[in-house]
Amino acid sequence: IRKEDNITKDMIMASLNPNNNREMAFKAGEGSGKSGSFFFFSHDREFIIKTMSEGELNTFKSFFKPYMHHLMKHKNSLLARIYGIFTVKIEKLEPVNLIMMGNTVQSMWKDMKLKYIFDLKGSLINRETKVDMNKFKPSTTLKDINLLGIRKRENILKFSAIDMVNIMDILEKDVQILRKASIMDYSLLLAIENNQLYTETLREILASG
C-alpha cells in the first residue's frame, strides 16, 4: 500500500522523527469513538497515529489481506489508507499498539480552505456536536444532525449526477468488504472546502451570460 501511494521509508522517518513530534504527541487528543483511543498528527500533518486495543488489532490482522487486495483492485476506494501497525514495548509498562494512517484532510492546515468537516454514520442517535455555529472552528468535527441543520441554510452538497453515481458505486464496494468482515463501527469522513478557483470560474460563466 505504501508503494502504491508513493510513501517511502524516508518520508515516514522524516514525518515521525521524535524530535519534531514531541509537541504533537503531548497534544494527543482522545478519539470521539467509544474505544477511548488516543491519536495525534505527525508534525507535517501527513499521517495520523492512533492507539489500538487488542481487539482492534486482532480484527485488523484477520482483515488485512482482503483490505489490501480491495485497495489494489479499487484504486479510488475511500477506505482509510493504513500504512503501518506497530507495537511499542517499554519495560514495566503494558505494550501499546499503534496504527499509522494517511491524513486525508490536510488542507485544513496547509492552505486553510477547509469550511466544514463531518463524521457521518447515517444515524440520528447521539449524532450531533454541540457547538455555537457562529464561533466554531472549521476543524471542529461535526456530525449527521449538524449536517442536516447546515443544509437548511446552505447548499453545501453540490454533486453532478455522474459524480453521485460514481460516489455511490465506490461506497457500495467499500461497504461490501466491511460487511463481509462483520465490521460495523465505521463512518464517512466528509470535508467541505472553499474552492476559490471554482467560485471564480462560476462567477465568470454567470457574468458572461
Side-chain angles (χ1 to χ4, degrees):
I1 297 172
R2 293 181 192 171
K3 183 177 180 180
E4 184 71 20
D5 291 350
N6 296 316
I7 303 297
T8 66
K9 181 179 179 180
D10 288 342
M11 289 172 60
I12 294 174
M13 294 294 288
S15 292
L16 302 186
N17 184 302
N19 294 328
N20 296 330
N21 282 284
R22 189 174 290 112
E23 182 180 352
M24 301 303 293
F26 286 143
K27 289 182 178 179
E30 185 172 352
S32 60
K34 296 180 180 179
S35 65
S37 60
F38 284 80
F39 71 94
F40 68 92
F41 296 92
S42 61
H43 74 95
D44 55 6
R45 307 289 182 172
E46 291 290 337
F47 303 106
I48 299 172
I49 295 84
K50 182 179 177 182
T51 56
M52 301 177 76
S53 67
E54 280 297 318
E56 291 170 333
L57 177 60
N58 291 331
T59 296
F60 184 75
K61 285 179 179 179
S62 63
F63 178 60
F64 174 68
K65 286 186 178 179
Y67 163 79
M68 183 179 67
H69 293 153
H70 180 81
L71 293 188
M72 295 303 102
K73 182 178 180 180
H74 304 289
K75 305 296 185 181
N76 55 359
S77 170
L78 296 176
L79 293 179
R81 314 295 283 194
I82 298 174
Y83 297 128
I85 304 290
F86 310 92
T87 298
V88 179
K89 296 181 179 180
I90 302 176
E91 188 177 1
K92 296 182 181 180
L93 295 177
E94 287 292 321
V96 177
N97 301 314
L98 301 173
I99 182 171
M100 182 178 72
M101 302 177 286
N103 178 18
T104 57
V105 189
Q106 297 179 26
S107 66
M108 68 175 73
W109 295 283
K110 289 189 174 179
D111 50 27
M112 302 305 292
K113 292 181 180 178
L114 187 74
K115 187 172 184 179
Y116 299 113
I117 185 167
F118 299 94
D119 178 279
L120 304 174
K121 288 185 178 290
S123 171
L124 300 181
I125 307 300
N126 297 323
R127 298 301 301 164
E128 181 178 16
T129 298
K130 301 297 183 181
V131 61
D132 184 345
M133 295 305 295
N134 295 317
K135 299 179 181 179
F136 94 111
K137 297 179 180 179
S139 58
T140 300
T141 302
L142 304 175
K143 299 180 180 178
D144 303 68
I145 294 177
N146 301 108
L147 174 61
L148 294 176
I150 292 172
R151 284 199 66 193
K152 293 179 181 179
R153 306 189 303 272
E154 300 178 59
N155 183 17
I156 57 175
L157 299 180
K158 301 176 183 178
F159 299 106
S160 67
I162 188 63
D163 283 341
M164 286 190 285
V165 170
N166 290 335
I167 292 170
M168 291 305 299
D169 180 63
I170 296 169
L171 290 176
E172 285 286 346
K173 290 173 180 175
D174 286 346
V175 168
Q176 186 176 18
I177 188 175
L178 297 173
R179 185 186 298 121
K180 287 182 178 179
S182 299
I183 296 175
M184 295 178 60
D185 189 15
Y186 55 87
S187 56
L188 175 67
L189 182 68
L190 172 65
I192 297 178
E193 299 178 335
N194 290 304
N195 189 328
Q196 191 62 35
L197 178 60
Y198 171 84
T199 302
E200 292 174 356
T201 301
L202 181 61
R203 187 181 296 117
E204 291 175 2
I205 293 174
L206 294 175
S208 62

